[in-house]
Amino acid sequence: MTDLFSDISSAEHDEVLRLRKELEEANRRYYVDNMPTLSDRDFDSKMQRLQELERLHPEWADAASPTHHVGSDLTQGSKFAQVAHRYPMLSLGNTYSQAEIEDWLRRLPEGVEIVAELKYDGLSISLWYEHGRLIHALTRGDGTRGDDVLRNIQTIPSIPRQLHGTGFPDRFELRGEVLLPWQNFERLNRERAEEEEPLFANPRNAASGTLKLLDPQEVARRGLTCYLYYMLGEDLPADTHMQRLEQAKQWGFPVSDAIRLCRSVDEVMDFIRYWDTERKQLPVATDGIVLKVNSLAQQQQLGYTAKSPRWAIAYKFPAEKQLTLLRDITCQVGRTGVVTPVANLEPVQLSGTIVQRATLHNEDFIRSLAIRPGDRVWVEKGGEIIPKITGKEASSAATEAQPYTFPTLCPECGTALVRVEGEAAWRCPNEDGCPPQIVGKMIHFVSRKAMNIDGLGEETIALLFRLGLLHNVADIYSLRREDIATLEGFGDKSADNILAGIERSKQVPWARVLFALGIRMVGETTAKKIARRFRAAEDLQWATREQLTEVEDVGGQIADNVLAWFADLRNLEILLRLREAGVQLADNAPAEEQQSAVLQGKTIVVSGVFAHHSRDEYKAMIEAHGGKNTGSVSAKTSFILAGENMGPEKRKKAETLGVQIMTEDEFLTLIQSNESTQTL
Ligand code: IVH
């Protein structure tokens, strides 16, 4: 029983860590790169799951968890001045369920007035006015500081740079949404397609990319627009949100007319129903509605959580879907050899763009819905880049077509596909001979978080591969200037840039090189942990399965993948060539010093929230003093280092097993004393 519980708990702990990592990454891709990787819906449901797990396990609390902060759009480097927000810029609690909206409304004080507004799908902006003059325009940033994009905001004709007349306070702030209208978005993407530049997935990303440009003339040309929906300041002449919006409108600000003051649940629901269809006629993207308590006094009483106001909530419209004809199914091979079936569709207009291709996920999905070419299928796009098929028309029966049979051979290289037990995906096992896998591996190798080789992009790698100049990652270090300079669209200058990037990559530390090698399931963090234990490729090459699984986060599957990678002679040859080229295959920094052996032989669980150091710092201290960290309490646990909010389950288990619980201060005294802990 005990083990079962600790297994569940450690699986849940893994899930928490995984979700935090995934959500951080998704935030970065969304806010910084403007290339979303998750649909809003998937993001929200992962966030909800993380919140639930963190509620169940307060001992795993981490102030850095994405549940505690909003995603950050702050620009690295000094592109824009960063300015602290006077009032934190929060996000909104949201739901996809009308029932939850009704619940929220019913929990509010009797007779409360609600302002219903559209939820514009752009990016938030905070405009500061002093003596009627616009002095700052800040993005949300990390919620406490934002990038000042004033010069770009000044290109939006509807935003006054200087107010005229009187009646406005000396100092106030307006918040709203910056948007790129559908029409301008489509024009921009058409231009980008002609220039072979990557397309923006949706108007939100296009608006965000545009607002961060350094050339206001180009911003003006693209044609941003804005709606303002929130006024803040010390001495504002109004008691309600609605009055403030009306006031803003009178002062000349762009405030939407699609706003309604509601006094009953029915009125709110009418507003939702009406705009769910009517919004498609609007010139800009919307993704839901926002409900706000009208009275400012009541808003104040309701207050805020760490991330959002309790006096407002967002309802997100369900993803748009369309029925269309499935012309045929083709299969695509990805970097890891996974074969994904793709639906080729009769083009259909969906969420503002034309969709012709959509994912069919895997063979099981196609079979469970009995999908075959000739069917009329439902295609959905919820803000993500890749649309998906979600079902087929009930009456759709393309009886004349044969049931679809999944290929047994790789469509790229003809190798027999394999299906790994327990996985839905078919995979091409020809890792080193299948073109998209070879190219995919090289693209991963040069990517930002791996070797970070600037200038060597996806298309260049694919081209060099087609020309026979690149076969594997080691070949990158044998590229000559003339190989690149003679390519179409390249010259001496771009060749030199690429070669300089390749040269710089020789300084990339061993942990990142290990990640760059692309061993299956060895992600960035796992690579770091493995590299900390095996400080050179040679050490790792001779590691046993047992030694590997001793590394935190490394389970049997990952260990097997590492062993298999090093058992392949072709990989060893690549390593040899990388070493000859001067790539860092060992960690040259001095080993983390073993500070004492005071915890030698001790197995310790770190749990809860600490005042003096972070949990990871405590774990590092334990190792530096000879101890071993473990995630779950068992009879083998020597003691628990407990902070605030240690989980009740863990405490109970510790009491049952008679495991000692040590406070943070006791622990620090213990390691500082450097005495033996025989008494424990
Ligand atoms: S009110 C403290 N009203 O939605 C409340 N936000 O998911 C501040 N948004 O960050 C926000 N339309 O960028 C509000 N009518 C509206 C909105 C709106 C779009 C955005 C805003 C916010 C995000 C929250």
Side-chain angles (χ1 to χ4, degrees), residues 455-466 470 484 487 490 498:
L456 206 48
E458 296 188 15
E459 276 165 33
T460 315
I461 288 196
L463 181 63
L464 290 166
F465 170 75
R466 278 200 303 278
L470 287 183
I484 308 168
L487 298 177
F490 287 79
I498 293 178

Side-chain angles (χ1 to χ4, degrees), residues 99-141:
E100 275 182 32
I101 289 291
E102 289 188 26
D103 280 353
W104 181 79
L105 290 166
R106 291 188 209 288
R107 281 200 305 270
L108 293 174
E110 188 98 11
V112 69
E113 286 182 341
I114 296 291
V115 181
E117 302 170 13
L118 280 171
K119 184 170 187 310
Y120 292 99
D121 193 13
L123 58 148
S124 31
I125 194 80
S126 166
L127 307 177
W128 293 23
Y129 282 83
E130 270 183 29
H131 305 291
R133 216 165 83 83
L134 175 62
I135 56 156
H136 289 303
L138 308 181
T139 65
R140 182 161 78 170

Side-chain angles (χ1 to χ4, degrees), residues 90-92 117-120 124 140 177 229-230 290 292 309 311:
L90 303 171
S91 83
L92 290 171
E117 302 170 13
L118 280 171
K119 184 170 187 310
Y120 292 99
S124 31
R140 182 161 78 170
E177 204 79 354
Y229 46 61
Y230 188 31
V290 178
K292 298 173 186 170
W311 48 262

